[in-house]
Amino acid sequence: MKKGNQYEGIIYKIEFPNKGIMIIEEESGKTERLMIKNALPGQRVRAVVTKRRKGKSEGRILEILEKSPAEMDGGYCAHFGICGGCLYQSIPYEEQLKIKEGQVKALLDNVCSNYVFDGIKASPMIDGYRNKMEYSFGDEYKDGPLCLGMHKRGSFYDVVTVEDCRIVHPDFTKVLLATKDFFAQTKTGFYKKMQRTGYLRHLLVRRAVKTGEILVALVTTTQLDAFSETFPVGEEKNMEDCERELLNQWKEKITQLPLEGKLAGILHTKNDSLADVVQDDGTEILYGQDYFYEELLGLKFQISPFSFFQTNSLGAEVLYETARNYIGETKDKIVFDLYSGTGTIAQIAAPVAKKVVGVEIIEEAVEAARMNARRNGLENCEFVAGDVLKVIEDLQDKPDLIILDPPRDGVHPKALGKIIDFGVEKMVYVSCKPTSLARDLVLLQERGYKVERVCCVDMFPGTANVETVCLLTRIK
């Protein structure tokens, strides 16, 4: 098998998260695996080898020759296969759950044994479940008209306007289209990553499922000359005045939309970072406030524009209820919630615990956690701002129970070693990336912990992602 070779075959399985596997039989009789991203099990495809390294081959799809028998004939998003988001949307939901359950079980079986696998729990909502979207400005093809939406699958530059997206509430689409149309009419330029020039970067929309409150943030550069054609500069106008006028006109456009929910705030965020990420280098409130409220399991949470909060609110209730069941009795116990975000799990565990200590690196999220705890009448919660690796040794309390909810890359090995050194009887690990969980479980087991129970929770219908909750106990 060589780079550039083309093959036809059937994808016999898909490994987490999106690695379709085709078996190629060479003329010599030798068989090899070709890994093809974004292929579905059962599809017959024509693919080209794009990478060959250390005996492993990767490829990309040139043509789908036959659909998977598991795929539906219709009823899915108009952007399916174009937008880079929902890989599994053409597959019935029950089959999606089986695929994700099998992927996680296969990963964990490679590193664990003699544990109870509690299967997978479905999301309460399949469509319209997301409470947050980060849209990008761009064009669908080079020098094409302005687009606002998601990157095309496999493209770093091209953007598709996702006006028919199925995983968001219709209010998202109204804000999306109104924003795109406004800036297209005013001929405002978007930020071009290679040239590092332009004004418009991202549109952030957050909408609470329980309260219906909506927060909208326009993310731009500080390159004010990007809309000089729209507002010519004269003796009585400078570029800052032009920007103010432009933003006020956009704000009025959004406030007049017939939304089902209620606008909590409209914001303007500046970001001159070279990285293609939504980053806050300064935020101004154009309307309302810079936060909104969501409710989970009877508790109320204030959420700021850039703080972490699970993107599926109803699914988060299933996830945290599962974690709470694994945590078990917390009466008179000190609980550490590491990588605590806005303190959601900490506050769910707090009502009967002696004390809960949360550690989170993002200071904005820590402040939100403190406010949320006060709002929910929880006086036994303490939240510390800092990197878990650096601050864990300085904590005054000693835990009886530890909850881990790290980012996608999992726990830093040195931090995990320090966590293990506490010697708690029980840990609950909540993971948004099962490959990272499987890696961390190796060290945890080597250092004296046993995997007792594992349960998957589907927070992302239509996509390849899944959450996993794992209960570990210390071997005596």
Side-chain angles (χ1 to χ4, degrees):
M1 189 181 297
K2 297 180 181 179
K3 183 177 178 180
N5 284 4
Q6 294 186 19
Y7 298 92
E8 292 184 8
I10 295 174
I11 305 299
Y12 86 97
K13 72 172 182 176
I14 185 168
E15 297 177 348
F16 182 86
N18 61 347
K19 300 175 182 177
I21 305 301
M22 179 194 294
I23 300 298
I24 306 297
E25 185 171 344
E26 301 283 17
E27 293 181 0
S28 63
K30 182 182 178 182
T31 59
E32 289 196 44
R33 287 166 40 115
L34 177 61
M35 189 274 284
I36 305 169
K37 287 186 177 180
N38 300 318
L40 297 176
Q43 283 181 335
R44 184 175 182 85
V45 303
R46 183 166 60 87
V48 60
V49 179
T50 57
K51 186 185 293 186
R52 174 80 173 167
R53 186 179 180 186
K54 296 181 179 180
K56 295 183 179 181
S57 301
E58 297 180 16
R60 62 179 174 85
I61 295 175
L62 296 174
E63 183 182 2
I64 297 175
L65 303 173
E66 294 178 15
K67 292 172 60 175
S68 166
E71 289 186 272
M72 300 179 290
D73 291 329
Y76 41 87
C77 176
H79 311 293
F80 175 73
I82 303 171
C83 161
C86 300
L87 175 63
Y88 290 167
Q89 200 177 77
S90 64
I91 297 176
Y93 188 53
E94 288 301 317
E95 188 62 29
Q96 292 181 33
L97 293 177
K98 291 178 183 177
I99 291 172
K100 295 181 183 185
E101 179 180 8
Q103 288 176 341
V104 175
K105 182 73 162 55
L107 282 169
L108 298 186
D109 283 349
N110 284 330
V111 297
C112 309
S113 60
N114 300 321
Y115 67 98
V116 176
F117 187 68
D118 290 322
I120 188 167
K121 296 181 180 180
S123 170
M125 294 177 67
I126 301 174
D127 293 331
Y129 62 85
R130 282 192 67 94
N131 58 35
K132 175 186 177 183
M133 290 294 283
E134 295 177 355
Y135 299 114
S136 297
F137 286 94
D139 49 17
E140 192 166 354
Y141 53 88
K142 184 175 173 57
D143 299 324
L146 181 71
C147 288
L148 175 59
M150 307 301 290
H151 284 284
K152 282 187 175 182
R153 180 169 293 170
S155 174
F156 183 64
Y157 302 102
D158 299 340
V159 172
V160 57
T161 299
V162 285
E163 66 267 23
D164 295 315
C165 180
R166 294 278 297 273
I167 63 175
V168 297
H169 188 279
D171 283 349
F172 282 81
T173 303
K174 292 177 182 178
V175 174
L176 168 76
L177 294 179
T179 300
K180 180 187 79 74
D181 292 345
F182 172 78
F183 287 114
Q185 290 167 8
T186 56
K187 298 180 180 179
T188 308
F190 66 88
Y191 179 73
K192 297 181 179 180
K193 293 185 281 289
M194 291 298 291
Q195 292 93 326
R196 300 175 182 174
T197 60
Y199 183 68
L200 301 167
R201 296 197 70 161
H202 298 96
L203 177 72
L204 172 67
V205 184
R206 304 188 78 154
R207 185 188 190 278
V209 172
K210 296 286 187 70
T211 67
E213 292 185 333
I214 302 167
L215 198 64
V216 179
L218 180 71
V219 183
T220 74
T221 69
T222 59
Q223 299 179 35
L224 303 187
D225 57 346
F227 47 81
S228 57
E229 292 183 11
T230 306
F231 296 100
V233 180
E235 293 182 2
E236 298 180 358
K237 269 188 180 179
N238 57 35
M239 296 307 296
E240 288 76 15
D241 292 334
C242 294
E243 181 184 39
R244 172 68 57 188
E245 186 175 344
L246 182 76
L247 293 173
N248 280 336
Q249 289 181 11
W250 169 69
K251 175 196 71 176
E252 291 301 316
K253 182 98 171 176
I254 301 303
T255 57
Q256 293 170 15
L257 290 173
L259 301 173
E260 184 180 319
K262 179 184 178 182
L263 275 171
I266 300 176
L267 314 174
H268 173 224
T269 296
K270 298 175 182 178
N271 175 16
D272 285 320
S273 167
L274 297 180
D276 188 28
V277 294
V278 177
Q279 179 174 303
D280 181 12
D281 292 335
T283 293
E284 174 190 12
I285 299 174
L286 303 179
Y287 169 88
Q289 60 206 27
D290 60 353
Y291 59 88
F292 69 105
Y293 291 104
E294 181 61 295
E295 298 172 1
L296 292 181
L297 297 174
L299 299 174
K300 195 169 186 177
F301 296 91
Q302 178 179 308
I303 304 168
S304 54
F306 304 103
S307 62
F308 173 77
F309 196 81
Q310 291 286 356
T311 54
N312 180 343
S313 297
L314 299 184
E317 291 191 317
V318 177
L319 178 70
Y320 294 142
E321 187 64 52
T322 302
R324 184 160 65 181
N325 290 338
Y326 276 12
I327 291 166
E329 180 61 60
T330 58
K331 183 176 174 58
D332 299 326
K333 291 182 179 179
I334 295 175
V335 181
F336 277 11
D337 178 14
L338 305 181
Y339 311 94
S340 55
T342 52
T344 314
I345 297 180
Q347 292 173 68
I348 289 170
V352 295
K354 180 178 180 180
K355 184 178 182 180
V356 179
V357 179
V359 179
E360 168 60 45
I361 196 169
I362 301 174
E363 292 189 12
E364 180 188 22
V366 172
E367 285 302 317
R370 290 168 179 162
M371 286 189 293
N372 288 330
R374 288 195 295 269
R375 182 174 296 105
N376 290 315
L378 300 171
E379 298 180 356
N380 61 337
C381 291
E382 176 187 344
F383 294 98
V384 179
D387 186 340
V388 169
L389 174 62
K390 297 178 181 178
V391 306
I392 194 170
E393 292 178 325
D394 298 327
L395 299 176
Q396 299 300 310
D397 298 284
K398 299 302 178 185
D400 301 300
L401 167 70
I402 292 177
I403 302 166
L404 298 171
D405 189 6
R408 291 185 61 81
D409 289 339
V411 184
H412 189 286
K414 291 183 179 178
L416 188 57
K418 294 179 180 181
I419 291 166
I420 293 170
D421 287 341
F422 281 114
V424 297
E425 296 299 315
K426 183 188 293 187
M427 287 191 206
V428 174
Y429 191 135
V430 181
S431 170
C432 58
K433 188 178 180 182
T435 48
S436 297
L437 171 64
R439 181 204 65 211
D440 290 346
L441 289 180
V442 173
L443 179 58
L444 283 159
Q445 291 175 109
E446 289 175 351
R447 294 283 306 277
Y449 281 88
K450 181 184 185 304
V451 176
E452 296 283 356
R453 308 186 74 91
V454 175
C455 184
C456 304
V457 179
D458 186 30
M459 300 276 285
F460 318 100
T463 79
N465 298 312
V466 64
E467 295 268 344
T468 308
V469 185
C470 179
L471 169 64
L472 300 107
T473 59
R474 188 162 187 82
I475 300 172
K476 297 180 181 179

